Amino acid sequence: MKTNQRNKILVIHGPNLHLLGKRQPEVYGNFSLKELNQGLAEKARKKGVDLKVFQSNSEGEIVEKITKFKYDFLIINPAAYTHTSVAIRDALLGVNKPTIEVHISNIYRREEFRKKSLVSDVVLGLISGLGKESYLLALDAAITFLKSRNFKP
Ligand code: DQA
C-alpha cells in the first residue's frame, strides 16, 4: 500500500553540501548532490510520496524554508549549522513538524566541536554516519511514520 499521495516530504541540505563529490571525499564519499537527490527522488516516486529537495548555504534561507514551506515531514542535514544555529533550532521548535536530522559522517567520531548538535534534542530522530544511506533510511522512516499514523496533510 502506498502512502497518501498528498503527503509531502521536504529534504533540506545545509551549507557546502552542494560540494559533495569534490569535498573531502574520504569523509563525505564520492557521490554528488545530484546523484544523492536522484536516489531520493527515485525512492519517493516508487513509494508514492511527494518529495521536495532544497540546498542552501544561508542560515536565513533555511529558516524561511522550515517555517514557510508546506510539508508533512522534514529531513534535514543542517551541516555546519548543526553545531551553531539557535535560529534553525528555534525554527524547528516553532513549526513542530516530525523531523529527522541526518548526517553523512558520524558526527560523534569526529572533532569535539562536531559532537554538539543544537537540533538533536528537538527532532524525532537522528541518523548519522551511514553516507548516502543516512538520507535513504531517513526517507524510508519518514514514509513509515506517515503511513503508520495514517497521516493526513
Ligand atoms: C555533516 C557534518 C557536519 O559536521 C559538517 O559541518 C557538514 C556535513 C555531515 O553530513 O556529515 O557540513 O552534517
Side-chain angles (χ1 to χ4, degrees):
M1 202 178 83
K2 287 189 173 177
T3 304
N4 184 330
Q5 289 287 342
R6 286 156 46 215
N7 281 150
K8 284 192 177 53
I9 299 175
L10 173 65
V11 176
I12 298 180
H13 303 288
N16 298 310
L17 294 171
H18 62 301
L19 298 175
L20 284 177
K22 292 178 233 157
R23 174 193 185 197
Q24 293 180 276
E26 69 289 0
V27 178
Y28 299 113
N30 292 306
F31 57 91
S32 66
L33 185 61
K34 193 174 169 195
E35 285 162 351
L36 171 58
N37 289 339
Q38 278 168 351
L40 290 169
E42 196 179 319
K43 187 182 275 289
R45 190 181 45 75
K46 279 190 194 145
K47 304 256 180 166
V49 292
D50 182 359
L51 183 82
K52 291 281 175 295
V53 179
F54 172 74
Q55 190 276 326
S56 178
N57 298 319
S58 149
E59 186 177 24
E61 275 181 16
I62 294 172
V63 168
E64 294 271 309
K65 245 340 179 222
I66 293 170
T67 56
K68 295 190 178 162
F69 194 77
K70 288 210 180 339
Y71 57 91
D72 304 310
F73 200 106
L74 176 65
I75 295 168
I76 183 166
N77 183 348
Y81 290 138
T82 306
H83 318 295
T84 62
S85 182
V86 176
I88 290 176
R89 175 191 176 87
D90 285 350
L92 294 171
L93 282 169
V95 296
N96 195 27
K97 292 274 178 161
T99 299
I100 298 178
E101 172 189 355
V102 301
H103 299 285
I104 295 165
S105 64
N106 179 347
I107 59 172
Y108 299 100
R109 286 183 65 171
R110 300 185 61 194
E111 302 97 319
E112 277 309 309
F113 68 88
R114 291 187 207 276
K115 292 182 183 164
K116 176 76 191 161
S117 164
L118 295 191
V119 303
S120 294
D121 65 325
V122 301
V123 294
L124 193 60
L126 161 70
I127 303 176
S128 185
L130 303 178
K132 201 194 291 188
E133 289 299 320
S134 292
Y135 285 89
L136 293 165
L137 288 169
L139 183 54
D140 275 332
I143 293 166
T144 302
F145 177 92
L146 292 169
K147 206 191 287 187
S148 70
R149 282 161 182 73
N150 195 17
F151 196 91
K152 299 276 185 296

